[in-house]
Amino acid sequence: MSILTWTYLFVGLSFSLYLFIAWRVRVKDTQGFYLAGRDVPAYANGMATAADWMSAASFISMAGLISTMGYAGSVYLMGWTGGFVLLALCLAPYLRKFGHFTVPEFIGDRYESNPARLIAILCAVFISFTYVAGQMRGVGVVFSRFLNVDISTGVMIGMLIVLIYATLGGMKGITWTQVAQYWVLISAFLIPTIAISIQLTGSAIPFIGMGSTLLESNISGQSVFLLNALDSTLREFGWHSYTEAFQGKWSQFNVFATALTLMVGTAGLPHVIVRFYTVKNVQAARWSAFWALLFISILYLSAPSLASFSRYYTIHTLNGVSSEKLPAWFHSWEKTGLILWLDDGDGIVRYSGDSTNEIFRSGKLSTKEIEAIKAQHALWLTTNSDSGINGRQLMIDKGLNGPDRDIIMLAAPEMAGLSNWIIAFVAAGGLAAALSTASGLLLVISSSIANDLYFRTLNPKASEKNQLLVGRIAIAFAVFVAGYFGLNPPGFVGQVVAFAFGLASASFFPAILLGIFNKRVGTIPAISGLLVGIGITAYYIINCVFFGGSRWTFGFVENGITPEAFGFIGMLLNFTVTLVLTPFFPAPSKSMQATIESVRQPE
Amino acid sequence: MTALLFLWFFFSLGCGILWVEYLNQFHLPGTGFKLGFWFAQQGSIISFVLIVLIYAILMNKADQTNPKK
C-alpha cells in the first residue's frame, strides 16, 4: 500500500477511536463537564496531562529546534519539564484541596474580588487562544503534508472532530480521548527515533545511543563518539559546536532567564493546572503529577537524541553528493518546500553554516514564487551571472537559509529507512498531539467564559442545565474562533507563544503561589502585582517584537534580554509589588484566612 | 520540600546552566556526553522525575501519619 492509503487508514482509525470514546463517556452535569466527575485515576490523569501538555510544537518542531540550536535548545527541554516540579511541589495539591473548577475561580475567591477574577479570566482566555491557534494550524499542516489536502480543509476537519468530542463529553470525554492520544503520539515519536538510533549507533535506547560511538566508525577501527563527530563536523562546515554552551545571542543570562520563564510559565498555564482538579483527592493529585512528568519525560529524553541523530544524518547524507545521488527523503520533502537546493554551479550539494550553503527552505513563499526563483537562478548559472538572479543570495536575504526545522521529525522515518506504514503513523501522531492540546485549551476557554464569567459573575442563579448549555455553546464558539485563527494565522504565531509563557509566568504563578503560602496578602496588593507584572511583560514583548524597540540590558546583560526571557522579570516585579504593598492594606477576611490555613494542613 | 526545591534548582539551573562550562570539562564515564551538556539535555529531566516521585511518597506518607486535627 502507498503512504497515502496508510495515512488515510491510520488517521481514520484514530479519529473513530476518539469519537467512540467521547460517545461512551458523554456527560450530563457540570461536575462531569468541567471536572470529569472527579473520578479519574491518577495514572490516567497523568497520561491525559502528558497528552494535553505535549502539543504540535513538542511533537513536530521541538526536535528540529534543538537540532539547530544545540546546547541552547536545552532551555525548552528543561523549561517544559522543570515547570512540573514547581507545579507538583508548590501548586497542584493545594489547589486541589481548595477545590474549585478553574484558575480564575481560585484567584477570584482567594482574593475576594471580582475585578481580580476578571483579570484572571482575560489572561486565561488570551493565553489559551494564542496556544490553540497554533494547534489548529498544526492540524492543517499535518493534513496538507501527509494527505495532500488543502491546509484549510485540514483545519476544518480538525475543528469538526474536536467540536464533536469536546461538546459531547466535556472534560470527561477529553480526558479519556487524551489517554488514547498519548499512546498514539508517544509510539509515533519513539518508533522512528529508535530506528534511527539503531542505524547510527546500534543502541535501541535513544538516550544511550546519543552518548555512544558511531557504528560506521566502529567498522573502520577507531571508535568516535556521535557527539564528538557532530561537534567537529559542525565546526568544519561553519556552524558553532553542538555541545558548547552560550553561543551567539544565547548568553548565559538569557539561557537562564528563558529556562526559568518557561518553567514558571508551565506551572502557571491554566490548561495544565485544571487537570489536577479532576482527580479524587490530594494524594491522587501528587501521584498524577508524578505520572504526568514520567510520561512526558519519555518524549523529552528522546527528542534531544533524535535532534542530534538527524543533524548528523542530514549533514552527512547531503554534503558532497551530486543531484542523482540525493537521498529519497530529500525528494519527497522537496515537494512540500521544507527543503530545497540551489546549486552554486558545481553540481555538488553543500549544506553548511557559512556563505557557501546551498540548502534552503521556501518559508512563506508560494510554489509559484519558488519556481520563479529556481528558473532565474538556473538562468543566472548558465549565463555566468550575465542575466537572471542569484537565487542563493536572494534566499539568504529573505532569511531562508537551511531546511525547515520541522523536517527533522517529519522526515525521520524516511531517513531511518522505515516502511510506509510508519511514516503514516507519524502523521496520526502529529494529529493526536495537536488535537489533545487543542481540546484541553478549548475547555479552559469554555469554563472561563461559562463558569467564571457567566455563572460566577453575571448570573449566579443559573440552573445546572442552563450552565451546561452555556458551557457547550462557549466551547463551540471557541472552536470556531480558534479555527478562524488556524485558517488566517496572524503572521507571528512563534512570537505570540513567547507571549503566552511570559504572561503566564508574570501573572498566574505569583498570584497563586502567594495566595497559598501567604495568608496576609490582601486584595489590592495582589491586583496591583498582577497588573504590574502583566503590564510590563506585555509592554516589553510588544515593543521588542512588533515595534523593533531596543532590548534592555540593565547594564550587564550582553545584547539585552530576549523577549522570550522577559517573563522572568515580570514575575519578579509581580512578587515585589505584591509583597511591598501587603503591609499597608487590610488582610483577607478571617474565614478566608482559616480556609488558607486548612488547605496547608495535611488531610 | 525546600530541600527538594533546592535539588530542582541545583540540577537544572545550576548544573545545566550556571556551571555548565566548568562541568563540560568532564565526560559522563563511558559515554560521549560532556557532563554539563548531559545535565542540560538529559540529567535535569531525570532528576525532575525523581524529585516529584520522592515528594509524592513523602507527602502522602506524612498525610497518613498525621490524620486531620
Side-chain angles (χ1 to χ4, degrees), chain A residues 509-594:
Chain A
F509 184 74
I512 299 175
L513 196 70
L514 290 176
I516 297 169
F517 290 99
N518 192 331
K519 277 194 298 188
R520 181 65 183 75
V521 175
T523 314
I524 296 170
I527 295 184
S528 324
L530 272 177
L531 288 177
V532 170
I534 297 168
I536 197 126
T537 309
Y539 167 78
Y540 189 81
I541 296 179
I542 292 174
N543 189 34
C544 269
V545 173
F546 301 111
F547 299 106
S550 59
R551 293 174 174 180
W552 299 348
T553 61
F554 295 111
F556 70 94
V557 185
E558 233 177 293
N559 304 327
I561 302 174
T562 54
E564 292 86 11
F566 197 79
F568 167 62
I569 310 283
M571 176 195 74
L572 289 183
L573 281 172
N574 186 340
F575 273 125
T576 317
V577 169
T578 312
L579 289 174
V580 166
L581 290 180
T582 293
F584 303 104
F585 289 92
S589 66
K590 280 271 174 314
S591 63
M592 181 45 66
Q593 294 202 21

Side-chain angles (χ1 to χ4, degrees), chain A residues 412-551:
Chain A
E414 286 158 279
M415 291 181 194
L418 295 173
S419 45
N420 287 347
W421 67 271
I422 291 181
I423 300 169
F425 195 48
V426 168
L431 287 173
L435 288 178
S436 60
T437 307
S439 54
L441 290 162
L442 288 167
L443 200 86
V444 168
I445 299 174
S446 148
S447 62
S448 297
I449 295 174
N451 182 61
D452 301 328
L453 193 66
Y454 177 73
F455 176 59
R456 295 299 304 267
T457 319
L458 298 176
N459 183 7
K461 291 194 197 83
S463 70
E464 178 84 5
K465 226 177 146 185
N466 197 329
Q467 286 179 52
L468 199 58
L469 180 71
V470 176
R472 288 197 158 121
I473 294 174
I475 222 170
F477 164 77
V479 172
F480 284 111
V481 177
Y484 174 81
F485 284 121
L487 292 175
N488 309 294
F492 41 83
V493 173
Q495 290 96 318
V496 175
V497 171
F499 211 172
F501 276 96
L503 222 50
S505 60
S507 62
F508 288 138
F509 184 74
I512 299 175
L513 196 70
L514 290 176
I516 297 169
F517 290 99
N518 192 331
K519 277 194 298 188
R520 181 65 183 75
V521 175
T523 314
I524 296 170
I527 295 184
S528 324
L530 272 177
L531 288 177
V532 170
I534 297 168
I536 197 126
T537 309
Y539 167 78
Y540 189 81
I541 296 179
I542 292 174
N543 189 34
C544 269
V545 173
F546 301 111
F547 299 106
S550 59
R551 293 174 174 180

Side-chain angles (χ1 to χ4, degrees), chain A residues 70-71 74 78 81-82 88-89 207 210-211 225 243-244 246 252 260 263 283 286-287 301 304 601-603, chain B residues 1 8 12-13 16-18 20-21 31-34 37 40-42 44-45 48 52-53 55 59-60 63 69:
Chain A
Y71 165 80
S74 319
M78 281 192 273
T81 52
L89 267 57
F207 42 88
M210 188 181 175
F225 283 115
T243 57
E244 223 36 69
F246 316 130
Q252 187 162 29
L260 203 58
M263 284 176 178
Q283 281 82 8
R286 295 192 188 113
W287 277 118
L301 286 176
Q601 294 288 329
E603 250 176 7
Chain B
M1 196 180 88
W8 163 78
S12 57
L13 299 168
I17 297 174
L18 294 178
V20 64
E21 286 174 319
T31 67
F33 287 117
K34 287 178 183 163
F37 180 78
Q41 298 215 333
Q42 305 271 311
S44 55
I45 302 176
F48 294 156
V52 175
L53 175 67
Y55 174 79
M59 286 303 270
N60 287 351
D63 274 9
K69 283 164 199 165

Side-chain angles (χ1 to χ4, degrees), chain A residues 318-453:
Chain A
L318 289 180
N319 266 306
V321 299
S322 55
S323 62
E324 309 88 61
K325 290 210 176 126
L326 277 168
W329 62 265
F330 178 88
H331 293 294
S332 55
W333 291 96
E334 193 183 17
K335 289 178 210 137
T336 61
L338 289 186
I339 190 166
L340 56 97
W341 175 40
L342 292 172
D343 191 27
D344 63 359
D346 63 359
I348 303 286
V349 181
R350 185 173 163 88
Y351 171 35
S352 71
D354 50 34
S355 56
T356 59
N357 178 44
E358 299 170 2
I359 294 291
F360 302 92
R361 60 180 182 274
S362 52
K364 285 202 177 67
L365 301 176
S366 69
T367 330
K368 252 189 196 158
E369 287 169 293
I370 289 297
E371 287 309 318
I373 291 173
K374 275 186 179 167
Q376 287 291 329
H377 185 71
L379 188 64
W380 186 79
L381 283 182
T382 44
T383 58
N384 256 332
S385 64
D386 281 340
S387 61
I389 301 165
N390 183 352
R392 287 173 53 227
Q393 194 54 49
L394 188 73
M395 296 302 269
I396 292 171
D397 293 343
K398 286 182 188 291
L400 295 171
N401 230 336
D404 192 293
R405 59 172 190 250
D406 289 356
I407 203 168
I408 294 288
M409 177 59 208
L410 293 173
E414 286 158 279
M415 291 181 194
L418 295 173
S419 45
N420 287 347
W421 67 271
I422 291 181
I423 300 169
F425 195 48
V426 168
L431 287 173
L435 288 178
S436 60
T437 307
S439 54
L441 290 162
L442 288 167
L443 200 86
V444 168
I445 299 174
S446 148
S447 62
S448 297
I449 295 174
N451 182 61
D452 301 328
L453 193 66

